[in-house]
Amino acid sequence: MPVRHFRVSERGQMSLPAEARRRWDLTGGGAVEIADLGSALVVVPAGGDGIRSLLRASIDEAGGYRSLAARVATDEPDLR
């Protein structure tokens, strides 16, 4: 699904696109988790271990925390 822009209402509401609701089986409503990363929000369907599990798997896939941190520090000198 391409990146799209959406408006948040004055009450803080936003519609999730139908395509995403179908893909993640949220058509009848459902819970999501939101992680505030400081410069971004990550929205994932709730369930299982949720965001923590997703992050753990991503870190493991990147070779572990030390390896990932070393690569980020190389790419971003301000983070050394």
Side-chain angles (χ1 to χ4, degrees):
M1 187 167 107
V3 174
R4 298 185 184 158
H5 296 262
F6 298 93
R7 288 199 171 283
V8 176
S9 75
E10 291 178 7
R11 294 179 52 185
Q13 297 171 322
M14 182 185 84
S15 294
L16 191 61
E19 179 182 344
R21 291 193 310 268
R22 284 190 297 271
R23 179 179 177 177
W24 298 105
D25 195 25
L26 298 170
T27 54
V32 297
E33 294 181 351
I34 299 175
D36 185 345
L37 303 180
S39 61
L41 293 175
V42 176
V43 181
V44 298
D49 290 334
I51 289 175
R52 289 182 189 273
S53 176
L54 179 66
L55 290 174
R56 232 180 257 122
S58 296
I59 290 169
D60 289 345
E61 186 178 309
Y65 181 79
R66 289 179 192 262
S67 173
L68 181 59
R71 279 191 286 166
V72 169
T74 300
D75 294 342
E76 297 290 336
D78 293 341
L79 297 177
R80 290 183 190 168

